[in-house]
Amino acid sequence: MTIRVPVPPGPTHNTHAPRHKSEVWTIDFREAAPRLANATMYNSDPLTSMFGGLAVGVPGELRALSEAHARWGSGNVSWARLVRPSARLAEGWTVDPELGLRIQMFESLMLHHPDWTPTFAPNGTLLRVGDPIARHAYAQTLHAIADQGADAFYTGWIADALVDKIARTGGVLDHADLAGYEVKVRKALKGTYLGRNVYTTSAPASGPVLLQMLNLMERYEGLKEEGRTGLNVHRSVEAIKFGFAARTRIADPSFLSASEQRTIDDIPTKPLAALLSLNLTDDRTHDAAYYNPEYSVLEDHGTSHISVVDGDGMAVSITSSVNFVFAGFVLDKVTGVILDNSMNDFSLPGVADGWGVYASPYNYPAPHKRPLSSMAPLIMEHPDGSFYLAIGGAGGSRIFPAVFQTILNLDWGFDARAAVEFGRVHDQLAGVVDVDAFYPPALVGELRGRGHNVSVSGMDEIKAAVNLVTRRAEDGRIFAASDSRKNGMAAGY
């Protein structure tokens, strides 16, 4: 989570100073490994890192929301007032298109699992779009959290039920793990891009990688004026490939040596971008080894993102995830909570991914360690320091490349909706550039002409979903867009 808090400016005699001041913070609420985790815990059965209780990491989102409310919430809006609408919604609503699609995708789980069937396939029939649905146990849990605060989730009857369910499905997460979880509040990682201040999350999220990619593109003169040309699209793909190589070095800083930490600290810097730019070639691309990655890239799909700004210029960019669409298929019937499978975001020693690339020791499981993440919630300011953009996305390893391309789209003259909806390219050093089916054919041809192995994807595939809110400098008008790829919706109040 990245949060921009406006600060009233004091007197200044510096006419070149920004007219607007702010503080930007991040709250790291990444899931943590249980205290009994270890590097070899999945060696006998790697699938247990994806499915079942052993895949569950200690969840942190409620702690983060509570921390944000305590630090920056309005004194006129209580915690209970914020949480209660979600509890009431869980008591009954109608199936929306996105949920309807996902229920159909997981037909076997919904029809044949006693924990899932009563909610998602009552009477033995899958729910469809427009059907009524209710999660009464989950509503009860949310009402308790509204009344008692976030502590209600981490202690008491809710924690008892969760720990029991995790143990019965093969997990090791216990009461001490839940009670001991703490968020990490830090000043945001800061960079600049084309004269604007950029703020994002630090490791183990992918904010440093996104900053590196922007730093690389910034070095091309006339980038904004030239717009989306075949050459600039090629350059953006090359920046993405260097970004994925950098991402392979990201890990929980608490578990790194001093030299490994310095490597992460260098990733978002201008000097490193200057060095990498010497290897950028306008006439051709290269194989994966050229970009010097160190290990594989992990996928996750059960992610959501929200970008919001208020009338005072306070902005929040928050990404949260249970990892897979329905996480590790563990639903606790007592609390109604669907438990995450974020332990799968760790690397597994000796286990290659689908591309035959072996994992890195930087990201092995360890007690209380937080796994690598593709999340990169970002806030950007105009050169005068006023709010410009809050942006982020969902979609596993596609998150930060999608956010990156959307930022480029804005600078290439697209409005908010067009910037989000335009087709995208994706290359995670797997030997292929994945291109949306509606991407301009002329640009696809130019990529192929520079040696990219392009694969055009079907229109019906759900990939990264970006949403943003932006404020125009000249008149202060606010625009927002949420990706139709995941049935997103922008709203104002």
Side-chain angles (χ1 to χ4, degrees):
M1 181 192 308
T2 306
I3 303 174
R4 179 184 186 269
V5 184
V7 176
T12 178
H13 302 289
N14 183 358
T15 58
H16 299 290
R19 297 196 306 272
H20 302 266
K21 293 185 177 180
S22 66
E23 292 182 348
V24 185
W25 298 82
T26 62
I27 302 180
D28 175 1
F29 60 92
R30 182 66 161 138
E31 295 81 5
R35 63 191 182 92
L36 296 179
N38 63 80
T40 61
M41 61 190 294
Y42 302 113
N43 279 12
S44 61
D45 185 0
L47 285 178
T48 58
S49 74
M50 292 186 279
F51 304 107
L54 200 60
V56 180
V58 187
E61 183 171 358
L62 266 176
R63 284 282 185 225
L65 296 175
S66 177
E67 184 73 21
H69 179 259
R71 286 176 178 253
W72 301 295
S74 167
N76 298 323
V77 182
S78 68
W79 171 261
R81 180 180 169 188
L82 292 173
V83 178
R84 194 77 67 193
S86 296
R88 295 191 185 111
L89 180 62
E91 292 170 354
W93 76 102
T94 57
V95 176
D96 60 85
E98 187 65 23
L99 178 58
L101 172 65
R102 303 308 177 120
I103 291 173
Q104 300 297 320
M105 289 171 60
F106 292 87
E107 177 179 358
S108 180
L109 175 68
M110 302 305 175
L111 285 176
H112 304 298
H113 196 294
D115 292 343
W116 297 78
T117 299
T119 298
F120 298 100
N123 304 315
T125 302
L126 293 175
L127 293 180
R128 297 186 178 275
V129 175
D131 287 343
I133 181 174
R135 295 178 63 190
H136 296 296
Y138 190 50
Q140 181 185 24
T141 295
L142 290 175
H143 278 301
I145 292 167
D147 291 335
Q148 302 166 36
D151 283 346
F153 181 87
Y154 294 91
T155 60
W157 70 268
I158 297 174
D160 290 344
L162 296 179
V163 168
D164 178 66
K165 182 66 174 182
I166 291 167
R168 286 189 288 110
T169 52
V172 295
L173 190 153
D174 61 20
H175 285 88
D177 292 317
L178 287 172
Y181 184 90
E182 295 180 353
V183 297
K184 298 181 180 181
V185 182
R186 311 181 182 95
K187 281 292 186 73
L189 178 64
K190 182 180 179 181
T192 62
Y193 175 63
L194 298 178
R196 308 183 188 110
N197 290 326
V198 182
Y199 302 92
T200 187
T201 50
S202 54
S206 291
V209 174
L210 181 53
L211 282 177
Q212 180 184 99
M213 291 154 57
L214 292 171
N215 288 340
L216 288 172
M217 294 302 288
E218 183 184 56
R219 298 187 62 80
Y220 293 111
E221 293 185 8
L223 178 71
K224 288 180 66 174
E225 295 73 18
E226 293 170 3
R228 178 180 281 101
T229 64
L231 176 57
N232 282 338
V233 169
H234 162 75
R235 288 167 169 172
S236 69
V237 174
E238 293 302 289
I240 291 170
K241 293 174 81 168
F242 274 110
F244 267 102
R247 182 184 182 273
T248 66
R249 297 168 177 83
I250 298 288
D252 186 339
S254 300
F255 292 79
L256 298 177
S257 67
S259 62
E260 291 165 345
Q261 180 61 59
R262 284 193 295 272
T263 297
I264 293 179
D265 292 342
D266 284 343
I267 288 173
T269 64
K270 304 290 188 184
L272 181 60
L275 288 174
L276 291 177
S277 68
L278 300 175
N279 295 317
L280 291 168
T281 52
D282 280 351
D283 60 332
R284 66 189 185 281
T285 189
H286 307 272
D287 61 20
Y290 182 85
Y291 306 90
N292 195 29
E294 291 195 27
Y295 63 96
S296 60
V297 176
L298 301 173
E299 290 282 357
D300 56 321
H301 310 280
T303 306
S304 62
H305 181 86
I306 298 172
S307 301
V308 63
V309 64
D310 68 11
D312 297 322
M314 184 173 183
V316 179
S317 180
I318 177 172
T319 312
S320 62
S321 181
V322 292
N323 202 31
F324 290 1
V325 174
F326 289 107
F329 298 169
V330 178
L331 189 161
D332 173 44
K333 293 178 68 173
V334 176
T335 63
V337 172
I338 298 172
L339 290 154
D340 69 86
N341 67 336
S342 295
M343 292 297 288
N344 183 247
D345 279 344
F346 284 112
S347 301
L348 306 184
V351 178
D353 68 5
W355 307 106
V357 182
Y358 279 83
S360 163
Y362 299 151
N363 196 41
Y364 287 170
H368 309 303
K369 190 174 183 178
R370 303 183 184 208
L372 168 67
S373 169
S374 297
M375 299 175 188
L378 179 144
I379 290 174
M380 195 178 295
E381 295 174 335
H382 289 293
D384 69 354
S386 62
F387 170 79
Y388 166 53
L389 175 69
I391 187 171
S397 61
R398 297 174 182 267
I399 292 175
F400 61 89
V403 171
F404 168 67
Q405 291 173 78
T406 305
I407 293 171
L408 293 180
N409 290 343
L410 291 171
D411 279 338
W412 286 337
F414 286 59
D415 63 30
R417 181 169 178 80
V420 167
E421 296 294 335
F422 196 86
R424 302 192 191 113
V425 301
H426 182 76
D427 189 324
Q428 59 184 48
L429 301 180
V432 62
V433 181
D434 189 16
V435 178
D436 288 337
F438 51 93
Y439 204 76
L443 296 179
V444 173
E446 293 219 29
L447 286 173
R448 285 179 170 142
R450 289 178 170 86
H452 294 277
N453 179 23
V454 176
S455 173
V456 178
S457 298
M459 299 282 287
D460 59 342
E461 294 187 24
I462 299 174
K463 299 179 182 177
V466 173
N467 70 54
L468 65 84
V469 58
T470 182
R471 175 178 281 165
R472 199 159 61 186
E474 52 267 33
D475 58 10
R477 290 184 66 190
I478 292 174
F479 301 87
S482 190
D483 214 316
S484 66
R485 293 171 177 86
K486 216 169 184 179
N487 294 294
M489 181 179 67
Y493 304 94

